[in-house]
Amino acid sequence: QVQLVESGGGLLQTGGSLRLSCVASGSIFSINRLGWYRQVPGKQRELVAHITTSGSTMYADSVKGRFTISRDNTKNTVYLQMNSLKPEDTAVYYCNANTGNANTGYYNYWGQGTQVTVSS
């Protein structure tokens, strides 16, 4: 199993910056990629960005050029640097760890979520 603990959420104004952190523990050797998702009430959880063990990244179109995902393998931590924040970025942000392989099957672990609120 993998445990994920997020931190860094908060309330800020349009145009501001924020960095989210997520520390992974447990069976970290099984992690294929780490990522961030977000969810607003009444909507499905959506992918924001993810990063693989080799460092490849992927971003949602809505955050490209504004958000940067990175990881520090020595600290088992993934970060999401968010710049030029907009009110539509307001959501609960969840850390995600995708684990497993074709033989064992794949599984997703989730953090508890951290609220990001951007005021206009």
Side-chain angles (χ1 to χ4, degrees):
Q1 290 203 352
V2 174
Q3 295 78 43
L4 302 169
V5 179
E6 302 123 332
S7 60
L11 169 65
L12 66 166
Q13 293 185 331
T14 297
S17 297
L18 202 62
R19 190 177 81 159
L20 305 182
S21 301
C22 173
V23 180
S25 60
S27 302
I28 56 175
F29 60 88
S30 66
I31 296 175
N32 300 311
R33 62 175 185 263
L34 290 166
W36 290 94
Y37 287 69
R38 65 187 182 187
Q39 189 171 23
V40 297
K43 291 190 175 182
Q44 285 192 334
R45 193 172 295 187
E46 63 175 8
L47 173 68
V48 176
H50 73 225
I51 183 167
T52 67
T53 52
S54 62
S56 298
T57 59
M58 198 207 80
Y59 296 92
D61 287 344
S62 59
V63 306
K64 283 181 181 176
R66 299 189 298 122
F67 291 11
T68 303
I69 190 169
S70 61
R71 64 191 291 173
D72 184 338
N73 291 329
T74 65
K75 297 180 180 180
N76 299 322
T77 301
V78 61
Y79 304 99
L80 185 68
Q81 178 66 44
M82 305 185 292
N83 299 327
S84 303
L85 281 160
K86 306 174 182 180
E88 50 263 44
D89 294 317
T90 295
V92 177
Y93 284 70
Y94 295 91
C95 183
N96 166 268
N98 174 265
T99 66
N101 54 55
N103 293 322
T104 64
Y106 296 95
Y107 193 79
N108 284 303
Y109 292 91
W110 299 94
Q112 80 282 3
T114 185
Q115 178 71 46
V116 173
T117 303
V118 184
S119 63
S120 57

